[in-house]
Amino acid sequence: MMSGAVKQRDRAQRRPRADGQRTRGAILRAAASLATVDGLEGLSIGNLAAAIGMSKSGLYAHFGSKQELQLATVEEAERILQDKVVQPALAAPPGLAQLVAVCEAFFDYLQRRTFPGGCFFAAAALEMGTRPGPVKERVAALQSEFAALVRQFAVTAIEQHEVPAREDPDRLAFELHGIMLAADANFVLHDDPTVLNLARQIVRQRLGLGNGGNAGER
C-alpha cells in the first residue's frame, strides 16, 4: 500500500499535468477559432497571447515556434471535426444513412458556428495550398482522409443498392463534398441559415431522397 505521503506526492504531480493539458486545450481551441478569421499564417504566439489575455512566455511554455503552434492548431481542429461531424456520421447505419448523416452533421457544424470563420479545413486548404511545408501536408492529409471517408460511405451505399449501381463513388463523394464547401462559403459570406437549408435539400435530392423515395429504386 502507498503511504499517505506518496499518494499526496502523486496527486500533486498529476494535478499540474492535468491543469497543463486543460490550459493547452483551451489555447488550441482559441487558436483554431482565430485561424478561421486571421488564417494560420496570421496565427502567432504574440497575437494569440493578446487574444486570450495570456503572456507570451506562458504560451512559449506550450509551443516553441509558430510552426509548432500551427500544427497543434490543425490537430485540435481535426479533433473537433471528428467530434462534431465524423462520429455522428459513423453512428448512423452504414451506407446511404451515413452519406446523409455526414452532410447533415457538417451543416450543423456550420450552423452552430463552431468556428467564426466557418469550416476550419476549407479555409486552411485555400490558405496553405500555395505554401509548401509540413502544415500544408497535414491539412492536405486530413482533407484527403475526410474525402476518403465520404467515398467509403458512397461505396457501401452502392453495394447495398441504396443508390443506383451506375453511380461512381469518386464522383458522388466529390459532388457531396463540393456541396458542403459551397454551403460553407455562402454561409460565411452571407451569414444566412437558409443557405444551409438549401444545401440540405440539394443533398437529399442528389441522393434520391427529395420525395422521400429510395434512391435504389430509380
Side-chain angles (χ1 to χ4, degrees):
M1 292 178 64
M2 282 188 181
S3 70
V6 172
K7 287 181 180 178
Q8 271 192 337
R9 184 188 65 204
D10 285 351
R11 281 197 296 270
Q13 288 173 341
R14 285 195 297 269
R15 192 176 303 115
R17 284 198 294 270
D19 289 346
Q21 285 300 316
R22 281 194 293 272
T23 299
R24 180 182 171 88
I27 292 168
L28 288 175
R29 284 190 292 276
S33 290
L34 193 62
T36 64
V37 176
D38 294 339
L40 278 165
E41 280 299 299
L43 194 61
S44 68
I45 299 291
N47 68 8
L48 181 57
I52 64 177
M54 190 173 183
S55 69
K56 288 185 183 180
S57 60
L59 278 177
Y60 273 117
H62 293 276
F63 313 102
S65 68
K66 178 176 178 176
Q67 186 176 95
E68 185 181 336
L69 171 61
Q70 288 175 327
L71 287 169
T73 300
V74 170
E75 295 304 322
E76 174 64 11
E78 195 268 339
R79 184 195 67 76
I80 293 170
L81 186 73
Q82 285 283 328
D83 181 54
K84 304 296 185 184
V85 179
V86 174
Q87 291 306 315
L90 290 173
L96 181 60
Q98 286 184 327
L99 276 177
V100 174
V102 73
C103 295
E104 287 285 350
F106 185 84
F107 300 142
D108 287 345
Y109 156 84
L110 297 178
Q111 193 156 7
R112 287 195 299 266
R113 293 175 172 80
T114 304
F115 296 118
C119 175
F120 177 94
F121 289 100
L126 290 175
E127 179 193 4
M128 304 309 296
T130 56
R131 293 182 168 91
V135 180
K136 173 189 174 178
E137 289 168 9
R138 189 61 184 138
V139 169
L142 291 171
Q143 186 107 321
S144 295
E145 286 176 18
F146 183 74
L149 181 69
V150 178
R151 181 190 183 279
Q152 185 53 54
F153 293 162
V155 168
T156 303
I158 293 168
E159 290 174 346
Q160 294 179 172
H161 309 292
E162 294 174 313
V163 298
R166 66 176 180 273
E167 287 280 12
D168 179 282
D170 292 302
R171 177 170 180 164
L172 179 56
F174 187 86
E175 287 184 37
L176 293 176
H177 197 196
I179 294 166
M180 292 185 225
L181 294 178
D184 173 64
N186 281 278
F187 181 64
V188 172
L189 185 61
H190 300 291
D191 192 24
D192 183 0
T194 61
V195 166
L196 302 181
N197 293 333
L198 176 61
R200 290 183 175 101
Q201 292 170 18
I202 293 170
V203 165
R204 294 185 68 81
Q205 288 170 353
R206 178 63 184 86
L207 294 174
L209 299 173
N211 296 317
N214 187 322
E217 294 175 354
R218 290 185 299 173

